[in-house]
Amino acid sequence: MSKVITPRAEDYSAWYLDIVKNANLADNSAVRGCMVIKPYGYAIWENMRDALDLRFKATGHVNAYFPLFVPKSLFEAEEKNAEGFAKECAVVTHYRLKNDASRPGKLMVDPEAKLEEELVVRPTSEAIIWNTYRDWIQSYRDLPLLINQWANVVRWEMRTRPFLRTAEFLWQEGHTAHATKEEAIAETVTMLDVYADFAENVMAMPVIKGVKSANERFAGAEDTYCIEALMQDGKALQAGTSHFLGQNFAKAFEVKYLNKDNQQEYVWATSWGVSTRLIGALIMVHSDDAGLVLPPKLAPMQVVIVPIPNAVSPVIEECDRLAAELRSHGVRVHIDTDETKRSGFKFAEYEMRGVPVRVAIGKRDIENGTLEIARRDTKEKQTYPMADSSGIIRALLDEIQQNLYNRAKEYRDAHITHVNSFDEFKEVLETKGGFISAHWDGTGETEERIKELTKATIRCIPLDAANEDGVCVLSGAPSKQRVLFAKAY
RNA sequence: CGGGGUGUGGCUCAGUCCGGUUAGAGCACCUGCUUUGGGAGCAGGGGGUCGAGAGUUCGAAUCCCUCCACCCCGACCA
């Protein structure tokens, strides 16, 4: 296969699609808007899932599974949430097919098999979950209820892109119930911190924690917290959200508990989620024109060993010995003994697939007691003594993880620009991109107007924003703090 | 949902305007030999109801009609 990746500078969007295809992450499918996640892409998701699940468990959550289908009457119970998703719901209306008399061998929907009540394919599960929680929660002793589910959801999108926006996607959704408002808000913030920790320490992707403006808030939430990341093309991407839902769902579904004073009270709720979209973020934060670049903590193969020539004694024995040594330290190693491919091809192939460390061992090395180690992040390669190799490689994996984070953070920090006028705002947005830190008067009208004029939206009001008196870049009205604008995915 | 475009081996496309033997190329794939430290070379080989249906014609990938799918640009979105 001659694999050519479009350079980022030429066409960023084509570059992204080339990475997805050539790194074997996903394929288009026969289903409009839906992708097939291939084994290599799915292995990355599994690593993300495992790291997140560990963190969810560590913060007291348990997993459960709720149905894919939501009866329409339940779905519409919390009005704001239902309205927010109404335009992109897949709906099941029938439960049977039959032979089509007019077209032999073909099937048709049986008009006799119409459902009495349509079923919405979940775009999110608040409705079915809160309807269930009503029965599970009676007393303050049942609280807090801390449940997560790993699931697929469907949002009928017009324009789709692999991982970033597909009609069906995989995610996790946490849904918790609490006795007090304070406790629910604390949970919302805790899970935001979990996401930020995961993004920065596992994905090596720096994020900004913040709160969404009213326009960008999750439908049905009182407050939406988010982590925002910056992609290499200067566009922002929401990498995770954590919602304080107030008592909206409790009231819609009558979820009450008896407090210590024997009085009925509505519970307080949160929900939080991240999706396979994170794989899209991972690609766009670290990868280069040679292909995917993966942080070691998520790479399905952390080290690939290429014997030169293939599978020949004593080269192969040395490869096996090193692999065993690395595996005993928990390193994920792959030895490529495929004799039908040349080593040069393999080098290019593993670069394309983002394997953090490549080791080459040849006859020459056996004679010299050496091996060649190449790192994917900087593409440097160097020869080392065989004797020290396991320790060197393990240290290198840590270094690569750290370097990817530092590199991404440097880029991100260099692309947060403070502006004080709308002219400056527009110029920075067009010439430099990235986050624009500016004063905003707090009104939805101004936010909407800025979006119309520039296509930039408020990504978040950073949690660590300092109090600073100023005037709104558009309206000139007084403002107490800066917010972050950007064009977004 | 509006505007534009494209459907030909697994992939990228030529051929369509102006109908004419067995429908082509590159890549990929299979076999053999030589190779193997940055995407190998040579030789041989397999694979297509030309998006679908109906029509015009002696003859259709090519012309007419209908339908379908996908892509790009907008509006909407994690």
Side-chain angles (χ1 to χ4, degrees), chain A residues 230-281:
Chain A
L230 189 63
M231 306 296 105
Q232 293 169 355
D233 62 346
K235 286 169 79 173
L237 184 140
Q238 178 177 307
T241 51
S242 184
H243 313 291
F244 169 59
L245 301 173
Q247 294 179 309
N248 294 338
F249 285 89
K251 287 177 179 167
F253 290 92
E254 283 297 315
V255 185
K256 295 182 199 169
Y257 72 99
L258 216 45
N259 68 16
K260 288 178 182 174
D261 302 324
N262 204 31
Q263 288 171 326
Q264 295 276 0
E265 285 189 46
Y266 287 111
V267 301
W268 298 84
T270 82
S271 71
W272 28 274
V274 297
S275 71
T276 37
R277 179 176 233 213
L278 288 178
I279 295 175

Side-chain angles (χ1 to χ4, degrees), chain A residues 78-373:
Chain A
E78 206 294 315
E79 286 181 33
K80 281 184 186 155
N81 188 253
E83 267 176 43
F85 285 107
K87 288 170 297 180
E88 46 186 1
C89 286
V91 183
V92 179
T93 57
H94 292 74
Y95 60 87
R96 193 166 63 208
L97 300 172
K98 66 172 191 176
N99 289 320
D100 185 343
S102 65
R103 298 182 309 150
K106 306 286 186 184
L107 294 170
M108 63 182 284
V109 174
D110 186 347
E112 311 266 300
K114 199 170 188 318
L115 289 170
E116 285 200 13
E117 180 177 3
E118 294 89 347
L119 297 173
V120 177
V121 180
R122 62 180 169 215
T124 180
S125 302
E126 274 78 4
I128 188 78
I129 285 178
W130 284 97
N131 185 61
T132 309
Y133 281 4
R134 179 178 55 236
D135 297 335
W136 290 0
I137 297 170
Q138 309 289 332
S139 147
Y140 70 92
R141 296 178 194 179
D142 298 323
L143 298 172
L145 187 58
L146 306 174
I147 292 179
N148 174 65
Q149 84 165 345
W150 291 94
N152 57 339
V153 287
V154 169
R155 296 180 187 175
W156 212 259
E157 300 289 350
M158 292 302 173
R159 284 174 47 63
T160 60
R161 300 179 74 191
F163 296 112
L164 295 174
R165 179 164 298 108
T166 47
E168 180 191 14
F169 58 91
L170 305 183
W171 78 345
Q172 58 69 216
E173 44 181 327
H175 298 275
T176 69
H178 306 264
T180 66
K181 179 178 180 178
E182 293 67 32
E183 201 184 306
I185 291 174
E187 164 79 2
T188 311
V189 172
T190 297
M191 297 322 288
L192 188 74
D193 288 342
V194 164
Y195 287 152
D197 172 66
F198 168 78
E200 303 203 329
N201 293 313
V202 179
M203 294 179 68
M205 177 175 78
V207 292
I208 293 167
K209 294 189 280 191
V211 185
K212 287 293 187 186
S213 66
N215 285 352
E216 300 280 327
R217 189 183 295 153
F218 176 68
E222 298 284 310
D223 265 317
T224 289
Y225 294 73
C226 61
I227 51 171
E228 292 285 328
L230 189 63
M231 306 296 105
Q232 293 169 355
D233 62 346
K235 286 169 79 173
L237 184 140
Q238 178 177 307
T241 51
S242 184
H243 313 291
F244 169 59
L245 301 173
Q247 294 179 309
N248 294 338
F249 285 89
K251 287 177 179 167
F253 290 92
E254 283 297 315
V255 185
K256 295 182 199 169
Y257 72 99
L258 216 45
N259 68 16
K260 288 178 182 174
D261 302 324
N262 204 31
Q263 288 171 326
Q264 295 276 0
E265 285 189 46
Y266 287 111
V267 301
W268 298 84
T270 82
S271 71
W272 28 274
V274 297
S275 71
T276 37
R277 179 176 233 213
L278 288 178
I279 295 175
L282 192 69
I283 295 168
M284 289 195 288
V285 167
H286 299 306
S287 302
D288 61 25
D289 289 349
L292 189 64
V293 176
L294 291 174
K297 286 185 182 173
L298 289 175
M301 287 175 256
Q302 295 173 310
V303 177
V304 63
I305 302 177
V306 180
I308 305 167
N310 295 306
V312 168
S313 233
V315 171
I316 191 67
E317 284 78 7
E318 198 52 47
C319 293
D320 284 337
R321 194 200 55 74
L322 176 60
E325 164 74 17
L326 287 167
R327 283 181 187 132
S328 75
H329 286 94
V331 179
R332 295 186 286 272
V333 188
H334 173 65
I335 305 179
D336 189 342
T337 54
D338 187 344
E339 297 182 43
T340 68
K341 294 187 176 71
R342 295 161 56 98
S343 42
F345 179 89
K346 293 177 182 179
F347 293 168
E349 185 72 11
Y350 288 111
E351 250 166 39
M352 183 102 68
R353 301 180 75 179
V355 179
V357 172
R358 183 190 71 233
V359 175
I361 300 176
K363 287 180 193 161
R364 216 160 63 204
D365 292 307
I366 300 295
E367 288 162 17
N368 301 337
T370 58
L371 44 59
E372 182 189 83
I373 298 175

